[in-house]
Amino acid sequence: MSNLGLSNFHLPRWNELPNLDLYLDQLVTILEKYLKDCIGNKEETIITKTMINNYVKQGLIKPPRKKKYSRLHIATLIVICILKQIYSISDINELMLLAVKTVKFNKAYDEFCEALEKAILYTFEGIEYTVAEDMPFERSLLKSVAQSFASKLYVEKTFLHK
């Protein structure tokens, strides 16, 4: 089974994200760069300034400080951009709140990246990505969320050719 170039798919971990604040234009550019391989096609825009402003208004992300966006904004927006492919904004908010109940955001973000990469690799290689029975609820939910995105991506790339 072909992985359609996704075998090396990598989301930047917390420590790989820029540790300097970005203006809105820079933020949009970097998000497009990080997400172009797993979201959308050449005709689609992954994220816009308006979308980011709306996420701030909805309370999904914190307002920028002096019109600059931090590493926390970048990571949060990566998660939002991926999850909005399959979940509503209110569902995403609930999932993110659950994720940070037991661990700090940077750890939850890194776990999300790892789970998503593994789910995509396994799905495209035809390997079952299962949830262990003794796994804590938060971890099993994370794997299920990652698998739901990987399955959608697989259908898009192999059948719908997006």
Side-chain angles (χ1 to χ4, degrees), residues 14-73:
W14 181 260
N15 290 330
E16 295 173 70
L17 295 171
N19 195 19
L20 55 114
D21 293 342
L22 305 172
Y23 288 107
L24 192 53
D25 286 343
Q26 295 169 310
L27 179 63
V28 168
T29 300
I30 202 161
L31 290 169
E32 292 275 341
K33 177 185 157 220
Y34 289 148
L35 298 170
K36 69 180 182 222
D37 291 336
C38 73
I39 297 177
N41 56 45
K42 291 179 179 121
E43 295 84 42
E44 290 180 40
T45 302
I46 294 169
I47 186 102
T48 64
K49 295 177 194 178
T50 303
M51 294 162 84
I52 294 169
N53 288 328
N54 285 336
Y55 297 149
V56 171
K57 287 177 189 168
Q58 294 170 348
L60 213 53
I61 63 172
K62 294 180 181 188
R65 188 179 297 177
K66 297 180 182 176
K67 297 187 178 188
K68 289 189 172 184
Y69 295 83
S70 69
R71 180 188 285 185
L72 177 64
H73 289 105

Side-chain angles (χ1 to χ4, degrees), residues 76-129:
T76 304
L77 285 164
I78 287 172
V79 173
I80 291 168
C81 287
I82 290 169
L83 294 184
K84 78 175 185 172
Q85 306 300 308
I86 45 179
Y87 296 106
S88 69
I89 293 298
S90 62
D91 288 346
I92 293 168
N93 192 38
E94 282 186 56
L95 289 167
M96 288 194 311
L97 288 172
L98 177 65
V100 296
K101 261 188 174 176
T102 57
V103 296
K104 289 184 178 181
F105 181 86
N106 60 334
K107 184 170 175 23
Y109 170 75
D110 283 348
E111 288 175 358
F112 172 80
C113 292
E114 183 180 326
L116 192 71
E117 289 170 2
K118 193 176 284 188
I120 290 170
L121 178 65
Y122 283 18
T123 299
F124 280 80
E125 294 295 326
I127 301 168
E128 192 172 349
Y129 187 57

